[in-house]
Amino acid sequence: MDIKWKNSVISAIGIILFLFGLGATISSIGSMHNLVKANYLQKSTYVKSEDFQKEIDRFTNDLYLLELTSKNKNTVNANTITEEEIESYRYAEGNLTEQIQNVHDKYEEKIEDAKQAKSKKVEDAYVKQRDLEVKNIQKKF
């Protein structure tokens, strides 16, 4: 009887020590995780981050350009556009009639498909878009 009692006491002590060891291990892992997490958060606060520094630099540059540089409103812009550049822009995609015809060709099939599908809203949207593009081309000229 005495031997059985000693074995059960030794087993109980072993289990208790095992549980204390397991608890200490889990606790230390949790503490290390919190320590690492605290250091990470401390090192990478937004105010100390590179993104924040870039944002501050951009803001100060914008402020400098907006407020601190004095521009004389009476000075003429040095970048003047010549008549030649205007003509080149106008005729880059062809003359007026060619450009208008290109727009009509571009929307012709889409408008026909909308008519066949009996979708008046889609047809009107394509016609409106086509007319807007033609109007913009006419403004160029």
Side-chain angles (χ1 to χ4, degrees):
M1 227 19 208
D2 196 24
I3 295 176
K4 288 184 181 180
W5 182 76
K6 285 184 181 179
N7 285 339
S8 63
V9 170
I10 292 174
S11 297
I13 292 174
I15 291 173
I16 291 172
L17 289 177
F18 174 75
L19 291 176
F20 275 122
L22 184 64
T25 304
I26 291 172
S27 176
S28 64
I29 289 172
S31 297
M32 289 299 287
H33 179 265
N34 288 338
L35 182 64
V36 169
K37 186 176 175 184
N39 284 338
Y40 174 75
L41 291 175
Q42 207 172 33
K43 287 181 183 176
S44 66
T45 58
Y46 180 67
V47 177
K48 294 179 183 178
S49 71
E50 188 175 327
D51 290 338
F52 181 76
Q53 189 60 42
K54 286 179 183 177
E55 195 71 26
I56 290 293
D57 291 342
R58 188 182 62 75
F59 176 76
T60 53
N61 287 337
D62 290 349
L63 180 66
Y64 175 76
L65 291 174
L66 243 161
E67 298 294 329
L68 303 178
T69 57
S70 60
K71 289 186 177 182
N72 187 354
K73 293 179 182 178
N74 296 326
T75 60
V76 179
N77 188 1
N79 297 330
T80 56
I81 300 172
T82 64
E83 190 67 33
E84 201 175 272
E85 291 172 327
I86 293 171
E87 291 298 316
S88 173
Y89 173 72
R90 282 183 185 155
Y91 293 100
E93 297 175 8
N95 63 23
L96 177 62
T97 55
E98 288 173 349
Q99 290 184 37
I100 291 174
Q101 186 60 43
N102 288 341
V103 170
H104 281 284
D105 292 344
K106 176 177 156 185
Y107 285 97
E108 182 179 359
E109 186 178 335
K110 293 177 182 179
I111 292 171
E112 284 301 318
D113 289 343
K115 282 181 183 178
Q116 289 177 358
K118 296 180 181 165
S119 178
K120 186 69 175 161
K121 287 182 180 182
V122 174
E123 179 186 348
D124 290 342
Y126 282 135
V127 169
K128 186 176 179 180
Q129 185 65 31
R130 179 196 65 195
D131 293 343
L132 180 66
E133 285 188 31
V134 168
K135 190 176 182 179
N136 287 337
I137 290 171
Q138 290 172 338
K139 278 183 183 180
K140 263 195 323 189
F141 285 87

